[in-house]
Amino acid sequence: MTQIHEPATAPGFDEHGLEAGQDNIQIAGLDVHNPVFFISAVTIVGFVILALIFRDFAGTALEGLRTWLTSTFDWLFMISANIFVLFCLVIAISPLGRVRIGGIDAVPDYTYSGWFSMLFAAGMGIGLMFFGVLEPMYHFNNPPLGAALPIVDGTIVAGAVDRARELGMAATIYHWGLHPWAIYAIVALALALAAYNKGLPLSVRSAFYPIFGEGIRGWPGHIVDTLAVFATLFGLATSLGFGASQALAGLNYLYGVPNTDTMKVLLIMGITAIALGSVVAGLDAGVKRLSEINMLLAVALMLFVIVLGPTMSIITGFFTNTYDYIKDLPALANWIGRTDESFVHGWTTFYWAWWISWSPFVGMFIARISRGRTVREFITCVLIIPTLASILWMTTFGGTALEQFLDQGYMGVQQTVIDYVPELSLFRMLADLPLASVTSLIGIILVIVFFVTSSDSGSLVIDTITAGGKVDAPLRQRVFWAIFEGLVAIALLLGGGLAALQAGAIATGFPFAILLLLMTYATWKVLRGEPRR
């Protein structure tokens, strides 16, 4: 069986005297970092209790926080994301791309198929299912960049349709393409180099060693790791909340299961219980196997839509949508003088904060499975290939929904945008294709398994952070975090629904955006000193 390698000494190793778990304490069968574990655990437990007791206040406060952050710091999120993309592309094509994670002689731990399945399932699974159909239609109806509305008073405006269609797809791909994967790549590369090239503990604080030195062992490190725990937990809770809402909407749509808060809570609890089984099974038997199964199901569902949907439109659309994305990317990524504030604040800023809040979790997970890859290979597989996969996914699902509306007059997905019931968009699109009941059931299964893999991977990462970088801490610690991921999702859903989920991700993503900028500089410093072939 393939095993995860512990961080090890490699060429270019600096004598730092830092070891995984060296400041841990052992209490009640736990092996945890003091004070990161206790600050994180007490704060999260307190949040869950207060949010459930004061639900109305929590919902109002979270919505106000979301509005303030997205309108005040939109520039910070957008500038940061642009920097991450440019940095990744520059180091990939530069001589620094020849640096190998783990040292010159390191070999990969996983095959390409296993590696890619795990990183893609962990990085975007639930989000693609939730927004893949909804978002292109939404941006078609409400095109960004000041484009004319394609529908006015219920009448299609012929001259505005083509441009709205281009922007609907380009804006969607913008949110799921280079920028989010660059955010993940920055964190993953920084942590992989710290752990496998410098022999530092596999914890977020280690990425800042080039800046703070052994100061990462003190409060600068404690603050970084604690913020990483909060960001990971709330980012995951946002995704789990979206996933539970979509899965229950599908069950209601197919089988009449009541779509109530009580059922959402029961569904989250049930799926969390399944995730606990995966946690017990371990990384190779649990996450890896589920990720590969889910990837096969996702590809099968996509191929079904390509074959039985508007096949030629999807095939040609992949290339035209890629071109439109590249063409409109400078305008979409520009933060100066924008008049489409609802798009910038309600979509882009939220997305960048969400990806940033996910970055400690996805970044550390990718770092753990990426030993032996060159930096150029790493950037290609973590940035370029997932972007192309996202374009194909959005073209297939979102493009099909647009074809159904514009060419057939089918109002199924369009109505979910008008009524804003985003969790139904996927099922309404599939309803217009053959075998709708079967494919919709597959869609529900995909959402649930993505939920399980995200929860399992997230609890693994949070446990590693709160165990001082140890990857073999007692199982009960990972079980604790898996349970509380579900509880935070429940607290946010009951305390304000989808808006509260978004607010949680934005609030924790904001401080971590600043840390990511520092991490980018630290990564550049490490790469400059690494040997390469």
Side-chain angles (χ1 to χ4, degrees):
M1 179 182 295
T2 304
Q3 298 294 327
I4 288 292
H5 288 260
E6 289 279 0
T9 301
F13 173 75
D14 295 328
E15 291 294 339
H16 46 68
L18 300 176
E19 298 178 3
Q22 69 185 113
D23 295 318
N24 284 12
I25 62 173
Q26 290 73 41
I27 181 173
L30 304 178
D31 186 357
V32 295
H33 188 281
N34 181 36
V36 174
F37 176 88
F38 298 104
I39 294 175
S40 303
V42 170
T43 304
I44 295 300
V45 171
F47 171 83
V48 169
I49 293 172
L50 292 175
L52 292 176
I53 293 175
F54 304 104
R55 288 170 54 178
D56 293 338
F57 174 77
T60 302
L62 286 168
E63 177 59 25
L65 181 62
R66 173 181 178 270
T67 302
W68 179 70
L69 285 173
T70 54
S71 60
T72 306
F73 295 103
D74 52 347
W75 58 272
L76 174 64
F77 286 111
M78 296 188 73
I79 291 174
S80 300
N82 291 340
I83 289 173
F84 302 146
V85 172
L86 293 174
F87 178 79
C88 287
L89 295 176
V90 168
I91 63 172
I93 63 176
S94 75
L96 297 177
R98 298 199 302 271
V99 172
R100 187 172 295 274
I101 297 170
I104 292 176
D105 298 321
V107 294
D109 296 328
Y110 293 96
T111 63
Y112 275 115
S113 61
W115 183 44
F116 186 74
S117 295
M118 284 192 285
L119 72 89
F120 198 77
M124 291 197 172
I126 290 176
L128 288 175
M129 298 297 295
F130 193 91
F131 291 102
V133 175
L134 166 79
E135 196 173 346
M137 183 68 78
Y138 184 94
H139 296 321
F140 168 80
N141 284 358
N142 307 276
L145 303 179
L149 294 175
I151 303 174
V152 178
D153 296 330
T155 302
I156 295 179
V157 181
V161 167
D162 289 344
R163 181 58 178 154
R165 191 176 196 165
E166 289 179 5
L167 283 171
M169 293 305 306
T172 301
I173 296 167
Y174 169 56
H175 291 147
W176 295 86
L178 293 173
H179 285 75
W181 285 102
I183 291 169
Y184 294 160
I186 290 292
V187 179
L189 183 57
L191 294 178
L193 290 171
Y196 294 124
N197 292 63
K198 298 301 181 184
L200 289 158
L202 188 60
S203 195
V204 179
R205 69 175 69 203
S206 296
F208 296 90
Y209 185 81
I211 298 174
F212 298 121
E214 294 202 21
I216 64 170
R217 190 175 176 182
W219 277 104
H222 302 337
I223 292 171
V224 166
D225 277 352
T226 303
L227 287 175
V229 171
F230 293 155
T232 301
L233 204 62
F234 280 90
L236 270 171
T238 301
S239 297
L240 302 186
F242 282 140
S245 298
Q246 187 177 27
L248 185 57
L251 292 170
N252 173 263
Y253 186 71
L254 289 177
Y255 308 114
V257 175
N259 194 348
T260 62
D261 285 345
T262 300
M263 286 305 302
K264 288 178 184 177
V265 171
L266 291 175
L267 185 62
I268 291 176
M269 291 172 62
I271 299 175
T272 299
I274 298 173
L276 289 175
S278 181
V279 165
V280 173
L283 182 64
D284 287 301
V287 179
K288 179 174 178 286
R289 187 169 299 165
L290 284 173
S291 296
E292 290 176 339
I293 292 171
N294 228 29
M295 189 60 64
L296 289 173
L297 283 175
V299 170
L301 182 61
M302 183 172 65
L303 289 175
F304 173 87
V305 176
I306 291 174
V307 172
L308 295 181
T311 306
M312 289 309 300
S313 177
I314 292 171
I315 294 172
T316 58
F318 174 81
F319 298 100
T320 57
N321 292 337
T322 302
Y323 170 77
D324 291 332
Y325 165 55
I326 295 171
K327 173 175 63 88
D328 289 317
L329 183 58
L332 291 168
N334 171 49
W335 66 94
I336 301 173
R338 296 288 290 266
T339 57
D340 50 348
E341 290 187 353
S342 61
F343 174 80
V344 174
H345 296 162
W347 288 91
T348 302
T349 306
F350 159 65
Y351 267 130
W352 291 176
W354 190 17
W355 303 141
I356 289 170
S357 70
W358 260 57
S359 65
F361 148 51
V362 180
M364 184 175 291
F365 185 74
I366 293 174
R368 287 193 65 177
I369 62 177
S370 297
R371 183 181 185 273
R373 308 290 178 182
T374 66
V375 169
R376 184 170 296 125
E377 182 183 14
F378 177 91
I379 294 297
T380 300
C381 291
V382 177
L383 183 65
I384 306 301
I385 293 178
T387 295
L388 295 175
S390 295
I391 293 174
L392 180 58
W393 183 276
M394 295 303 181
T395 298
T396 300
F397 289 85
T400 297
L402 288 170
E403 286 286 330
Q404 289 172 338
F405 173 63
L406 293 173
D407 292 354
Q408 304 171 28
Y410 174 64
M411 288 291 295
V413 178
Q414 176 71 220
Q415 199 63 47
T416 66
V417 174
I418 295 171
D419 299 336
Y420 202 70
V421 282
E423 57 271 18
L424 276 178
S425 297
L426 171 66
F427 306 110
R428 291 278 177 82
M429 185 275 287
L430 292 173
D432 194 49
L433 299 175
L435 302 174
S437 59
V438 176
T439 55
S440 294
L441 179 60
I442 291 174
I444 294 172
I445 293 171
L446 276 167
V447 171
I448 290 174
V449 180
F450 274 132
F451 189 138
V452 171
T453 55
S454 295
S455 178
D456 189 349
S457 307
S459 60
L460 174 73
V461 166
I462 294 174
D463 182 39
T464 301
I465 296 172
T466 56
K470 296 187 72 170
V471 296
D472 57 351
L475 179 62
R476 67 187 66 185
Q477 296 171 203
R478 211 185 317 165
V479 169
F480 169 84
W481 290 115
I483 292 171
F484 269 87
E485 285 162 19
L487 289 176
V488 171
I490 291 171
L492 289 173
L493 267 178
L494 296 181
L498 298 182
L501 293 170
Q502 294 178 353
I506 292 169
T508 52
F510 169 65
F512 214 78
I514 299 170
L515 292 180
L516 255 65
L517 290 171
L518 291 175
M519 195 180 290
T520 304
Y521 171 67
T523 302
W524 176 71
K525 288 190 69 174
V526 172
L527 284 173
R528 283 195 311 160
E530 282 298 295
R532 51 186 181 268
R533 290 193 188 278

